[in-house]
């Protein structure tokens, strides 16, 4: 049902009239020093694509690369972090594969399920929709700043907690909406890149409201000091040919929109009327829920930052 032509979050394969399987895989090198936390973040990130497709994860397989120098206890902590996230997601871990490699890497291959009529794609956004985001932006900037010891303990903990948080609650609340047009999760392409994929694939323009984008504490200050990960510039170059930036928007907010996220939130395109209900329910469940933009008829560019 869904392949790779629109850079969607996962592939979807219809099994019966009632059931479609969602398949996705993701793994990466450690972005935090704590092995247990790394395991949690890598698992939350891998599971996220299932939620972005409107599904629920069912079975996962571990993918692990370990250098010889890594202690058994460290390896155990990584796997425990992944295990605990899978349990939280109600997803079984059915095995996996480990190889030796110079740099540690961890992630999961996840299978989930969705009703074939309830698949949420990253395209299908319509004029009149608003864009709702369910986690704050800034994990790329914060983890880059942390490498240079420029992030307070408090801000760092908040950023890592956000990355380790499942998109489960947000995903379930989105599934309860009767009229969602498009949904994706924000990861390496940043809010800007994923909004671009959604808008260009839908043949519309996404207008991002720069002042309304929720940011992790400390992210704006770091961006103002020029602490921007290289990936943000790659995202900007990717979107630039189809981007309009209003002259009144500060450079820092544009950089943050392009900041690559690890295990970011869901970006949901749905009619404005329906969004109020979703945001209320997100807030009631202690989740972030912010209108960060709107969809308008095609203006000749895919994304505008206002
Ligand atoms: Co995704
Ligand atoms: Co509709």
């Amino acid at each position: 049902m869904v392949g790779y032509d629109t850079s969607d979050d996962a592939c979807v394969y219809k099994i019966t009239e009632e059931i479609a399987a969602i398949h996705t895989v993701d793994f990466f090198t450690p972005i935090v020093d704590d092995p247990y936390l790394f395991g949690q973040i890598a698992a939350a990130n891998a599971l996220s694509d299932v939620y972005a497709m409107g599904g629920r994860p069912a079975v996962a397989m571990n993918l692990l690369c370990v250098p010889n120098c890594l202690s058994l206890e460290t390896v155990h902590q990584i796997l425990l972090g992944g295990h605990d996230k899978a349990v939280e997601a109600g997803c079984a871990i059915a095995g996996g594969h480990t190889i030796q490699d110079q740099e540690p890497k961890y992630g999961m291959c996840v299978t989930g399920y969705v009703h074939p009529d309830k698949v949420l794609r990253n395209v299908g956004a319509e004029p009149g929709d608003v864009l709702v985001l369910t986690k704050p932006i800034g994990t790329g900037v914060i983890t880059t700043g942390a490498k240079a010891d420029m992030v307070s303990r408090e801000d760092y903990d908040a950023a890592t907690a956000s990355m380790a948080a499942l998109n489960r609650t947000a995903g379930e609340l989105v599934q309860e909406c009767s009229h969602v047009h498009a949904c994706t999760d924000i990861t390496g392409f940043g809010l800007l890149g994923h909004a671009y994929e959604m808008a260009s694939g839908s043949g519309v323009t996404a207008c991002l409201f720069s002042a309304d984008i929720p940011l992790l504490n400390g992210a704006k200050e770091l961006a103002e000091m020029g602490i921007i990960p290289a990936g943000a510039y790659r995202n900007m170059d990717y979107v630039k040919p189809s981007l309009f930036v209003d002259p009144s928007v500060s450079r820092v907010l544009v950089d943050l929109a392009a900041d690559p996220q690890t295990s970011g939130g869901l970006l949901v395109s749905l009619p404005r009327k329906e969004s109020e209900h979703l945001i209320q329910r997100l807030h009631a469940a202690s989740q972030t829920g912010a209108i960060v933009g709107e969809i308008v008829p095609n203006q000749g560019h895919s994304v505008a930052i206002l």
Side-chain angles (χ1 to χ4, degrees):
M1 295 177 65
V2 180
Y4 46 76
D5 50 329
T6 63
S7 310
D8 216 324
D9 298 293
C11 94
V12 182
Y13 184 84
K14 187 170 170 180
I15 297 174
T16 69
E17 292 306 315
E18 303 283 310
I19 299 172
I22 301 168
H23 298 291
T24 181
V25 59
D26 208 343
F27 64 116
F28 45 65
T29 55
I31 47 155
V32 293
D33 290 332
D34 180 327
Y36 178 74
L37 185 58
F38 170 52
Q40 287 187 302
I41 292 170
N45 180 71
L47 290 157
S48 175
D49 280 326
V50 174
Y51 298 119
M53 301 303 298
R56 56 178 183 83
V59 190
M61 308 275 265
N62 283 320
L63 290 162
L64 183 63
C65 303
V66 283
N68 273 337
C69 61
L70 222 58
S71 76
L72 260 182
E73 176 56 22
T74 302
V75 174
H76 176 71
Q77 287 297 320
I78 294 172
L79 291 173
L80 186 63
H83 169 269
D84 287 358
K85 271 298 144 185
V87 168
E88 191 186 328
C91 177
I93 295 184
H97 191 69
T98 304
I99 61 162
Q100 198 202 316
D101 196 0
Q102 276 166 354
E103 208 175 354
K105 299 174 190 76
Y106 175 60
M108 282 175 173
C109 177
V110 185
T111 299
Y113 290 102
V114 63
H115 190 287
D117 299 338
K118 297 279 170 75
V119 176
L120 299 179
R121 303 200 52 179
N122 70 337
V123 295
E126 293 178 19
D129 286 358
V130 294
L131 294 169
V132 174
L133 180 68
T134 69
K135 278 188 191 181
I137 295 290
T139 67
V141 164
I142 299 271
T143 51
T144 303
K147 284 179 198 150
D149 254 334
M150 294 172 74
V151 180
S152 72
R153 188 76 233 174
E154 203 184 354
D155 289 351
Y156 184 74
D157 287 348
T160 56
S162 177
M163 289 189 278
L166 289 177
N167 279 328
R168 177 179 183 163
T169 303
E172 287 172 354
L173 294 175
V174 170
Q175 286 168 34
E176 286 171 20
C177 295
S178 56
H179 210 99
V180 173
H181 287 149
C183 180
T184 192
D185 61 339
I186 304 301
T187 52
F189 287 152
L191 174 62
L192 183 64
H194 290 281
Y196 167 79
E197 297 280 358
M198 185 178 280
S200 63
S202 306
V204 296
T205 294
C207 300
L208 297 176
F209 308 142
S210 59
D212 298 339
I213 299 170
L215 299 173
L216 285 163
N217 278 337
K220 197 172 176 198
E221 291 70 17
L222 288 167
E224 278 165 352
M225 289 185 275
I227 308 298
I228 314 282
Y233 296 106
R234 283 196 293 273
N235 290 338
M236 181 55 74
D237 286 344
Y238 177 61
V239 177
K240 211 176 226 164
S242 200
L243 175 67
F244 168 81
V245 180
D246 190 273
S248 68
V249 176
S250 80
R251 178 68 213 231
V252 167
L253 291 179
V254 178
D255 288 343
L256 285 163
D259 184 42
Q261 303 300 288
T262 299
S263 189
L266 299 179
L267 181 68
V268 190
S269 186
L270 75 175
R272 183 179 291 275
K273 208 167 183 330
E274 184 128 15
S275 71
E276 291 160 19
H277 179 66
L278 174 62
I279 287 171
Q280 272 173 15
R281 309 244 359 232
L282 284 165
H283 291 175
S286 306
Q287 303 281 310
T288 295
I291 293 180
V292 297
E294 67 181 358
I295 301 295
V296 298
N298 197 319
Q299 315 260 298
H301 44 260
S302 293
V303 183
I305 304 183
L306 308 179

